[in-house]
Amino acid sequence: MAEERDPEGLAAARPLLTDLYQATMALSYWRAGRARDEAEFELFFRRCPFGGAFALAAGLRDCVRFLRAFRLRDADVQFLASVLPQDTDPAFFQHLRTLDCSGVTVRALPEGCLVFPGVPLLQVSGPLLVVQLLETPLLCLVSYASLIATNAARLRLIAGPEKRLLEMGLRRAQGPDGGLTASTYSYLGGFDGSSNVLAGQLRGVPVAGTLAHSFVTSFSGTEAPPDPMLAPAAGQGPSVDLPARVEVWLERVCAHLRLGPQEPQRGERAAFVAYALAFPRAFQGLLDTYSVHRSGLPNFLAVALALGDLGYRAVGVRLDSGDLLRQAQEVRSVFQATAAQFQAPWLESVPIAVSNNIDEEELARLAQEVGRPGRGGWRLRGGGPGRETQLPRATAFPQGSEVDVIGIGTSVVTCPRQPSLGCVYKLVSVGGQPRMKLTEDPEKRTLPGSKNAFRLLDSDGSPLLDVLQLAEEPPPRAEQELRVWPRGAPEACVVRPAHVEPLLRLCQPLPPLAESRAFAQSCLGHLSPQHRRLEQPAEYQVALSEKLRALVDRLGGAPPP
Amino acid sequence: MAEERDPEGLAAARPLLTDLYQATMALSYWRAGRARDEAEFELFFRRCPFGGAFALAAGLRDCVRFLRAFRLRDADVQFLASVLPQDTDPAFFQHLRTLDCSGVTVRALPEGCLVFPGVPLLQVSGPLLVVQLLETPLLCLVSYASLIATNAARLRLIAGPEKRLLEMGLRRAQGPDGGLTASTYSYLGGFDGSSNVLAGQLRGVPVAGTLAHSFVTSFSGTEAPPDPMLAPAAGQGPSVDLPARVEVWLERVCAHLRLGPQEPQRGERAAFVAYALAFPRAFQGLLDTYSVHRSGLPNFLAVALALGDLGYRAVGVRLDSGDLLRQAQEVRSVFQATAAQFQAPWLESVPIAVSNNIDEEELARLAQEVGRPGRGGWRLRGGGPGRETQLPRATAFPQGSEVDVIGIGTSVVTCPRQPSLGCVYKLVSVGGQPRMKLTEDPEKRTLPGSKNAFRLLDSDGSPLLDVLQLAEEPPPRAEQELRVWPRGAPEACVVRPAHVEPLLRLCQPLPPLAESRAFAQSCLGHLSPQHRRLEQPAEYQVALSEKLRALVDRLGGAPPP
């Protein structure tokens, strides 16, 4: 995977990408003489998304880019002046012109790290006015990135490790940058690549794509390619008139499939030939523009076998409508029979790609084991270290999923089960003093004080609990007993972790995206059964140290004043 | 409303913002000698979003910007070369370097126009290779914009014409540009403004915002403002020590509300004073950081009354948790009693703003008429020209909604009822010949041929049906009978429209955003009852002319070959 190349990708995340109240508060802090007070905020969420038991942290690389570039230009300050009171002291705007993030420190969970409710994804400390201004852009950059990385991770768990998952939701995203973010972080979460070329160019995401229905319908069959000749794959021997060779194969294929030679649509075949002439080493057929069985499949086979004569191997077919599981089985069955008929064994295993509004339920169906219809792949494969032994096929007709590649658009990009993560950014200390929002809604109370976070691990590396404690407390130690207060539990408990990992670190330099992806996959591989659940939160995920718990009691234990 | 200022806003929508298959098809068209074939595509959706009966067209201004700037730079072509076959003819890349949209014609529905399923939002014609490359970016730019404009229009219909609706979902959007698009097009759809400063700067959307909980919790009450003095609003007379005056008022307010003078939280009061010193003409209190009744409300009243002594009028309060409708009633009741107690009649009508995960159901509750609890505003007000007469209040305690301003984030930005519009971009003709995708899924069949679209209107201006016909047909005429085939109806029908409007037009110049917003609101005002439904599609929305219907029969009537 290439390193990232994003000289301009942050264009949309500009300093005024913020809520107006950040600017009005900035003026008020400044007027109150508090602009430079040292403050610390934490960015976290309150519940794991999608009703599941885990989330992945993501978006940090966009935050780092944003913070590095953060500076209000004259035009920005002028715009703020136009929406703030006319008699605002000009010295305030002068102060705004001097701002940057050189005084801001960010500690963060690394991208791809598992994250649980209440644990800060980011700790941001620095001058009160500046770190307040950063609230909205940081929330914007982290929330969706983490949501889609988590969504992609769920889809990966459901699909199992072997299906190729492609994100193709650019057209369903919230505008251009939504699409770019989706492609970037679905890759981080476990997808294999994206259709989005810009994500390849700017972020180094592997890109994939072949042809659409419009390409097929654009051909009527009367078009003559300017150059129909194709040289053999090995480069030796005479070139061949590909369309003529395809017509020869079409007759054989139709006889084999008991179709009339006029049944396969001419325009579709012309389109396949045109694509094959441009991509002889990467020919893929889109089968369902007219009729899969009576047109798309025989046309594909004729072109694939003609290419085969020249030493080229078709790389796949795609189905984009109807019952994808059933059709993939039927197509595989035809491949097998045709491979036997024409002594073309490579044809048996041509990858079958599917797309068309695939959601988690449909993905589970498409991921079922060969030979075990009706069970989702994630149930069979999710818990164990490897793929279960494949059962021998009972009949020639495949019984499980024959799908190799799955393209997902809407369901990955829009996260329809929960389209927003709901991250918040809360003040935890000012001038070294802890701060707490009490409110009458207990779920909205915050945890005060500058903190540290540690992950307590079992001997197999799976997470037991995350512990939040005050920054001044010594870190927990492996193999030592620790008394903590799990959030939501009626009382304290004692844990004895085999390993302890500090979670928050200064966030530079960032690893390349592909490295973060590998880290995410390794984290997911260590999830305990109760944390890998997709439909039910884990019982306890996060605990407070005794000291932090005492501080919460002191500041918030009494009924609100 | 300011005109738009977007010199850089299209940064994210770059030429490679497309699916890779557009590039592979481009190479194949080129290899087949068809790059310059004249082709026409239509961009449309198949069902109105959210289960309703209408949608608003939007996103055109972003398309126009994108098309104007469309040109592949060297770096773009080099990236494409890196993902296409190594032996690709260099002449293809040379061809890519020459591309722009000068040969592309776009006809479109104006922004803010009502749009129904199957009617093209865009018709794009030009060289096949170029108009194919444009598919993904145009879908990306139109789909979400139209979805959120429609979502905002629904929320406006539910809220009725008088509530002030503010979009504040930047932090819940799909990254920076998702937020910018959301702010822009929710304004188009009927919101009054946004919290998003960048949308103000780049798009001229009115912006709004005051203060957050973090501002309140950042004050402990020990901070002394460097300058506590405030001059009277009229500019005449001596300045006053605002915090001291607030303490005087606090005592009176607490006595009136039967609270101990120590109950209201000091830090919160210090925060309100700091905000009031910065914004004496625009003071707003956020009431629920600690306790609305025992702290936020008395602190707000003390500051508001102290400002009142100086001739300033507080502009509002905000509630962000709990039962918003009930609390607004209680707050209004306290305002009324306090206004009477202290002869401050202006206090009675201080606007009450609410926020906190407001969705359509909660909005209907918050929009209920004063004096008519339990009925959604959109039922009462939706159909009629104006607001119904207010009933006299039966008691001093308000019975309906006392909410004036409603901030909506997640529900407007993420469109949780349907997070994607599902627009498609389909080839309808090549070289003047109609093209049709047949497929075995009847819903995915396309309507062939280059078309025109007309809206048939009733005498009151409400839409009866949209008619799609072939480009060569003469337009329907007002007051003349027309035989058409409504989609989904068993047979043809005859209509006699009072007015006929052509729907598609060349799309430049575009009106300013605020003008498109006004156009959208006027379109919504003319919706017939069956088209303004939020929960049920209209029976028939679109019809085909007899000629178009005959073409469909000819190309698709026979079973697929």
Side-chain angles (χ1 to χ4, degrees):
Chain A
M1 185 35 31
E3 61 186 308
E4 288 174 78
R5 306 158 278 238
D6 187 7
E8 299 152 83
L10 56 84
R14 306 208 313 213
L16 292 196
L17 184 84
T18 197
D19 292 312
L20 182 63
Y21 74 4
Q22 314 293 3
T24 54
M25 289 190 278
L27 173 56
S28 309
Y29 287 135
W30 185 84
R31 173 74 170 79
R34 304 191 58 210
R36 293 188 177 86
D37 282 12
E38 186 71 15
E40 181 166 334
F41 283 81
E42 287 178 358
L43 191 157
F44 60 92
F45 57 82
R46 296 189 178 110
R47 261 174 289 193
C48 283
F50 315 117
F54 71 90
L56 292 185
L60 183 57
R61 64 193 61 230
D62 290 312
C63 294
V64 170
R65 278 190 202 98
F66 173 77
L67 295 171
R68 270 192 209 139
F70 182 88
R71 187 170 266 283
L72 291 163
R73 302 164 310 167
D74 277 344
D76 300 330
V77 175
Q78 280 160 23
F79 182 75
L80 287 177
S82 77
V83 293
L84 290 174
Q86 284 190 358
D87 53 0
T88 301
D89 187 342
F92 170 68
F93 298 114
Q94 205 41 51
H95 181 71
L96 291 184
R97 286 191 175 84
T98 67
L99 297 182
D100 62 24
C101 287
S102 55
V104 175
T105 304
V106 176
R107 296 169 74 232
L109 292 186
E111 281 199 317
C113 188
L114 293 167
V115 54
F116 302 111
V119 174
L121 287 87
L122 300 181
Q123 287 176 322
V124 183
S125 55
L128 179 55
L129 186 152
V130 177
V131 291
Q132 180 75 67
L133 276 178
L134 300 177
E135 172 176 13
T136 314
L138 294 181
L139 283 170
C140 181
L141 293 169
V142 167
S143 279
Y144 178 61
S146 299
L147 185 74
I148 194 161
T150 307
N151 197 25
R154 290 169 65 88
L155 293 165
R156 170 53 73 199
L157 287 175
I158 293 169
E162 296 183 15
K163 301 287 182 209
R164 193 156 173 247
L165 291 181
L166 297 177
E167 177 274 318
M168 33 190 275
L170 173 53
R171 63 188 64 188
R172 306 287 179 240
Q174 291 179 2
D177 174 80
L180 188 59
T181 309
S183 304
T184 305
Y185 294 105
S186 60
Y187 174 64
L188 180 92
F191 272 49
D192 294 295
S194 167
S195 66
N196 182 348
V197 185
L198 198 63
Q201 186 184 27
L202 298 182
R203 302 299 181 92
V205 174
V207 290
T210 51
L211 70 165
H213 294 106
S214 56
F215 184 80
V216 177
T217 59
S218 81
F219 286 83
S220 66
T222 57
E223 303 83 1
D227 176 7
M229 304 304 288
L230 185 66
Q236 306 221 324
S239 290
V240 164
D241 182 320
L242 186 68
R245 179 70 61 105
V246 167
E247 294 304 317
V248 172
W249 270 110
L250 184 75
E251 212 163 302
R252 295 181 202 161
V253 166
C254 285
H256 165 59
L257 299 179
R258 298 182 192 171
L259 294 170
Q262 298 307 314
E263 289 192 74
Q265 223 269 359
R266 279 176 71 199
E268 181 179 56
R269 191 157 64 257
F272 288 179
V273 167
Y275 197 83
L277 284 169
F279 293 91
R281 293 176 206 281
F283 172 60
Q284 188 180 76
L286 173 59
L287 301 189
D288 62 343
T289 306
Y290 300 105
S291 162
V292 172
H293 286 280
R294 292 192 295 171
S295 185
L297 196 46
N299 278 332
F300 167 79
L301 289 169
V303 177
L305 288 161
L307 285 173
D309 288 347
L310 292 161
Y312 298 104
R313 299 286 174 259
V315 301
V317 292
R318 179 161 74 98
L319 296 159
D320 187 43
S321 56
D323 182 335
L324 301 171
L325 180 72
R326 182 185 56 74
Q327 289 185 94
Q329 290 167 335
E330 291 166 359
V331 167
R332 180 69 67 213
S333 166
V334 171
F335 283 175
Q336 290 167 345
T338 309
Q341 172 76 14
F342 299 114
Q343 287 88 50
W346 52 270
L347 191 56
E348 267 195 44
S349 56
V350 166
I352 298 173
V354 296
S355 52
N356 190 24
N357 287 324
I358 294 169
D359 59 13
E360 291 192 354
E361 289 66 34
E362 175 70 357
L363 180 61
R365 204 170 151 256
L366 294 173
Q368 63 191 255
E369 290 284 318
V370 171
R372 293 190 179 187
R375 300 193 57 190
W378 66 279
R379 290 185 182 275
L380 287 165
R381 300 175 190 170
R387 181 170 175 148
E388 297 194 4
T389 316
Q390 267 191 221
L391 298 181
R393 288 184 190 146
T395 68
F397 188 79
Q399 295 297 306
S401 173
E402 290 292 342
V403 168
D404 302 286
V405 182
I406 301 167
I408 306 185
T410 312
S411 291
V412 62
V413 166
T414 67
C415 303
R417 285 178 170 237
Q418 183 184 325
S420 163
L421 180 53
C423 284
V424 294
Y425 181 86
K426 294 296 172 190
L427 184 68
V428 297
S429 80
V430 185
Q433 295 303 305
R435 286 286 182 268
M436 184 173 183
K437 174 181 166 192
L438 288 170
T439 175
E440 285 159 341
D441 179 349
E443 211 201 23
K444 287 192 156 192
R445 295 190 165 200
T446 58
L447 292 174
S450 184
K451 302 179 204 66
N452 237 323
F454 297 91
R455 182 153 294 163
L456 310 186
L457 302 167
D458 214 344
S459 54
D460 64 357
S462 65
L464 292 168
L465 264 182
D466 287 355
V467 175
L468 295 172
Q469 56 182 44
L470 294 171
E472 70 258 25
E473 297 183 69
R477 283 197 283 173
E479 307 295 358
Q480 296 218 340
E481 288 196 342
L482 185 70
R483 190 175 140 89
V484 295
W485 293 82
R487 297 189 82 181
E491 50 199 38
C493 72
V494 173
V495 282
R496 189 189 164 98
H499 312 280
V500 174
E501 276 179 3
L503 286 173
L504 296 159
R505 41 195 100 158
L506 291 170
C507 59
Q508 290 180 16
L510 283 176
L513 184 62
E515 209 171 287
S516 296
R517 179 180 188 272
F519 175 63
Q521 298 314 300
S522 112
C523 290
L524 289 169
H526 283 103
L527 272 175
S528 66
Q530 81 142 335
H531 282 104
R532 73 182 294 135
R533 292 196 298 228
L534 301 184
E535 304 286 352
Q536 196 187 342
E539 197 169 11
Y540 303 118
Q541 296 165 307
V542 177
L544 311 189
S545 71
E546 295 228 58
K547 271 202 171 173
L548 176 55
R549 160 86 182 194
L551 177 65
V552 170
D553 279 353
R554 180 162 68 77
L555 294 180
Chain B
M1 184 38 29
E3 62 186 309
E4 288 173 77
R5 306 158 279 238
D6 187 8
E8 299 152 83
L10 57 84
R14 305 210 312 215
L16 291 197
L17 185 83
T18 197
D19 291 313
L20 181 63
Y21 74 3
Q22 314 293 4
T24 53
M25 289 190 279
L27 172 56
S28 308
Y29 287 135
W30 186 84
R31 173 73 169 80
R34 304 192 57 210
R36 293 187 177 85
D37 283 11
E38 185 70 14
E40 181 166 333
F41 283 82
E42 287 178 355
L43 191 157
F44 61 92
F45 56 82
R46 295 190 179 109
R47 260 175 288 193
C48 283
F50 314 118
F54 72 89
L56 292 185
L60 182 58
R61 64 194 61 230
D62 290 313
C63 294
V64 170
R65 280 191 201 96
F66 173 77
L67 295 171
R68 271 192 207 136
F70 182 87
R71 187 171 265 283
L72 291 163
R73 302 165 310 168
D74 277 344
D76 300 329
V77 175
Q78 280 161 24
F79 182 76
L80 287 177
S82 77
V83 293
L84 289 174
Q86 284 190 0
D87 52 1
T88 301
D89 186 342
F92 170 67
F93 297 113
Q94 204 42 51
H95 181 71
L96 292 184
R97 285 190 176 86
T98 68
L99 297 182
D100 61 24
C101 288
S102 56
V104 174
T105 303
V106 176
R107 295 169 75 233
L109 292 187
E111 281 199 317
C113 188
L114 293 168
V115 55
F116 301 111
V119 175
L121 287 88
L122 300 182
Q123 287 177 322
V124 183
S125 55
L128 179 56
L129 186 152
V130 177
V131 292
Q132 180 75 67
L133 276 178
L134 300 178
E135 172 176 14
T136 314
L138 294 180
L139 284 170
C140 180
L141 293 169
V142 167
S143 279
Y144 177 62
S146 299
L147 184 75
I148 194 161
T150 307
N151 196 26
R154 291 169 65 90
L155 293 165
R156 170 53 74 197
L157 287 177
I158 293 171
E162 296 183 14
K163 301 287 183 208
R164 193 156 172 248
L165 292 181
L166 297 177
E167 177 275 317
M168 33 190 274
L170 174 53
R171 64 189 64 189
R172 307 288 179 238
Q174 290 179 3
D177 175 79
L180 187 59
T181 309
S183 305
T184 304
Y185 294 105
S186 59
Y187 175 64
L188 179 91
F191 272 49
D192 294 294
S194 166
S195 66
N196 182 348
V197 185
L198 197 63
Q201 186 185 28
L202 298 182
R203 302 298 180 94
V205 175
V207 291
T210 50
L211 71 165
H213 294 106
S214 56
F215 184 79
V216 176
T217 58
S218 81
F219 287 82
S220 67
T222 57
E223 305 84 0
D227 176 7
M229 305 305 287
L230 184 64
Q236 306 222 325
S239 289
V240 164
D241 182 319
L242 186 69
R245 179 71 61 106
V246 166
E247 293 305 315
V248 172
W249 270 111
L250 183 75
E251 214 162 301
R252 295 180 201 162
V253 165
C254 284
H256 165 60
L257 298 179
R258 299 185 191 171
L259 294 169
Q262 298 308 314
E263 289 192 75
Q265 224 267 0
R266 281 175 71 198
E268 181 179 55
R269 192 157 62 258
F272 288 0
V273 167
Y275 196 83
L277 284 169
F279 293 91
R281 294 176 206 280
F283 172 61
Q284 188 181 78
L286 174 59
L287 302 189
D288 62 342
T289 307
Y290 301 106
S291 161
V292 172
H293 287 280
R294 294 193 293 171
S295 185
L297 196 47
N299 278 332
F300 167 79
L301 290 169
V303 177
L305 288 161
L307 285 172
D309 287 348
L310 292 161
Y312 298 104
R313 299 287 173 256
V315 301
V317 293
R318 181 161 72 100
L319 297 160
D320 186 44
S321 55
D323 182 334
L324 301 171
L325 179 72
R326 183 184 57 74
Q327 288 184 95
Q329 290 168 334
E330 291 166 358
V331 167
R332 179 70 67 212
S333 165
V334 171
F335 282 175
Q336 290 167 346
T338 310
Q341 171 75 16
F342 299 115
Q343 288 87 51
W346 53 270
L347 191 56
E348 268 195 45
S349 56
V350 166
I352 299 174
V354 297
S355 52
N356 191 24
N357 286 326
I358 294 169
D359 57 15
E360 291 192 354
E361 289 68 34
E362 175 69 357
L363 180 61
R365 205 171 150 255
L366 294 172
Q368 64 192 254
E369 290 284 318
V370 170
R372 293 190 180 185
R375 300 193 55 190
W378 67 278
R379 290 183 182 276
L380 288 166
R381 298 176 191 170
R387 182 170 173 149
E388 297 196 4
T389 316
Q390 266 191 221
L391 298 181
R393 287 187 190 144
T395 69
F397 188 80
Q399 295 296 307
S401 172
E402 291 292 341
V403 168
D404 302 286
V405 183
I406 300 168
I408 307 185
T410 312
S411 290
V412 62
V413 167
T414 66
C415 303
R417 284 178 171 239
Q418 183 183 325
S420 163
L421 180 53
C423 283
V424 295
Y425 181 86
K426 294 296 172 190
L427 183 69
V428 296
S429 80
V430 185
Q433 295 303 306
R435 285 287 182 267
M436 184 173 184
K437 175 182 166 192
L438 289 171
T439 174
E440 285 158 343
D441 179 349
E443 212 201 22
K444 287 192 156 192
R445 294 190 167 202
T446 58
L447 291 174
S450 184
K451 301 179 204 65
N452 237 323
F454 297 91
R455 182 153 295 161
L456 310 186
L457 302 168
D458 213 344
S459 53
D460 64 357
S462 65
L464 293 169
L465 265 182
D466 287 355
V467 175
L468 295 172
Q469 57 183 43
L470 293 172
E472 69 258 26
E473 296 183 69
R477 283 196 284 172
E479 307 295 356
Q480 296 217 340
E481 287 197 343
L482 185 70
R483 190 175 140 89
V484 296
W485 294 82
R487 296 189 83 181
E491 50 199 38
C493 71
V494 172
V495 281
R496 189 188 166 97
H499 311 280
V500 174
E501 275 179 3
L503 286 172
L504 296 159
R505 40 194 101 160
L506 291 170
C507 60
Q508 289 180 16
L510 283 176
L513 184 62
E515 210 172 288
S516 297
R517 178 180 188 271
F519 175 63
Q521 297 314 300
S522 112
C523 291
L524 289 169
H526 282 103
L527 271 176
S528 66
Q530 81 141 334
H531 283 105
R532 73 183 290 134
R533 291 196 298 230
L534 301 183
E535 303 287 352
Q536 196 187 342
E539 198 170 7
Y540 303 118
Q541 296 165 308
V542 177
L544 311 189
S545 71
E546 293 226 61
K547 271 203 171 172
L548 177 55
R549 161 85 182 196
L551 178 65
V552 170
D553 278 352
R554 180 162 67 78
L555 294 180

